[in-house]
Amino acid sequence: MRTDILDFHDFYQAPLGRMAREFIAGRVTELWGDGAGLSIAGFGYANPYLELFTGAYARFALAPGGQGVIRWPREAANAASLVGEHDWPIPDASLDRVLIVHGLEEAPQPQRLMREVWRVLKDDGRVVIVVSHRRGLWSVIDTTPFAAGRPYLKRRLEGLLRDAVFRPTVWNSALFFPPLRSTLLLRAARAWERAGSRLWPGLGGVLMLEAEKDMLAPVGLVRQEGARARRPALAAPQPLQPRSSR
């Protein structure tokens, strides 16, 4: 059972969610900047983070069917769509980047999901995964969507990526302050974040991993195990049409 889209939306509209976004967004932009010239898809509930990539050639928000979808962005043509967990309406090797936020923890078959990501990325494509950390407070205090589903340890996440034929390149973490809706605590959150990243980097609320496609891996084996190769339907990514909305 996926977290409902409205729960994500409400969380990121609240002060605690806005603070969480600020810290995670800072790490993402360190890697990809404003996405200049890139085609980028977000899976799960990546909408607040896709807004960072103002220089991107194209941006898509892909929501798993059990979650629901809302229009995104609000100021322009809709680029949000419901998709199958392992069947995205994206041609092979057509995206430069994929960002997964709130997408892996509740995935029924994480490895198949990551193989679908491998399929849609270009040969030099990269994926960033933001996932709840099993050793962090955000996975055990049930006040945010980061407590939903299966949290990950670094070793488990690295193994999942390698099995799906990705090579990890950058590790990071964020959300060192407790996920409590206290005004006083939120005022001190930036100090917590600075101290946490220096003093206890292994205890962040989320793990963040960037990985690239491993083009030296046996691609035939990957396809045999479940990643379907499909003939591209389009020469380049086109705006997606939503199948349903809420």
Side-chain angles (χ1 to χ4, degrees):
M1 183 68 180
R2 286 264 185 189
T3 300
D4 190 270
I5 187 71
L6 295 181
D7 293 332
F8 287 125
H9 180 266
D10 292 346
F11 169 70
Y12 281 103
Q13 294 298 308
L16 180 61
R18 292 198 297 270
M19 190 64 69
R21 177 194 179 277
E22 176 183 327
F23 297 138
I24 294 172
R27 300 299 191 187
V28 174
T29 53
E30 287 175 4
L31 296 171
W32 296 352
D34 67 353
L38 300 175
S39 55
I40 303 174
F43 178 78
Y45 188 71
N47 303 26
Y49 304 98
L50 288 173
E51 294 170 0
L52 300 170
F53 307 120
T54 55
Y57 160 70
R59 296 177 293 177
F60 308 115
L62 308 178
Q67 170 185 294
V69 67
I70 58 177
R71 179 185 175 86
W72 183 89
R74 294 189 179 276
E75 319 79 38
N78 180 58
S81 176
L82 286 177
V83 299
E85 293 272 356
H86 323 118
D87 187 17
W88 297 1
I90 303 288
D92 292 0
S94 59
L95 294 176
D96 296 297
R97 301 287 188 269
V98 172
L99 174 64
I100 300 177
V101 187
H102 302 297
L104 194 59
E105 296 94 327
E106 297 179 88
Q109 295 179 280
Q111 192 173 71
R112 285 189 65 191
L113 170 61
M114 293 313 304
R115 286 173 177 164
E116 183 70 353
V117 175
W118 195 97
R119 180 187 70 79
V120 302
L121 280 173
K122 296 178 181 178
D123 291 351
D124 60 348
R126 293 174 181 262
V127 58
V128 160
I129 299 174
V130 179
V131 68
S132 180
H133 187 197
R134 186 173 176 181
R135 290 178 178 159
L137 287 175
W138 289 67
S139 69
V140 296
I141 298 180
D142 190 17
T143 57
T144 79
F146 288 101
R150 302 176 303 273
Y152 279 76
L153 293 172
K154 180 178 178 180
R155 180 175 59 184
R156 181 184 176 194
L157 183 57
E158 186 174 33
L160 172 66
L161 269 291
R162 293 192 186 280
D163 288 347
V165 202
F166 282 94
R167 181 169 53 250
T169 57
V170 178
W171 286 95
N172 218 320
S173 56
L175 305 190
F176 294 93
F177 71 102
L180 303 176
R181 304 175 191 276
S182 162
T183 302
L184 182 62
L185 179 61
L186 290 175
R187 289 175 180 170
R190 292 182 180 86
W192 276 82
E193 202 71 9
R194 289 192 297 269
S197 62
R198 293 195 305 267
L199 301 177
W200 51 88
L203 297 178
V206 295
L207 291 173
M208 302 179 65
L209 166 64
E210 183 189 53
E212 61 185 5
K213 291 180 70 168
D214 189 350
M215 298 307 297
L216 299 180
V219 177
L221 177 61
V222 176
R223 289 175 174 167
Q224 177 182 343
E225 290 179 353
R228 295 180 296 140
R230 293 197 288 264
R231 181 176 301 170
L234 302 170
Q238 299 294 320
L240 304 177
Q241 297 299 321
R243 298 180 184 176
S244 62
S245 61
R246 296 179 57 179

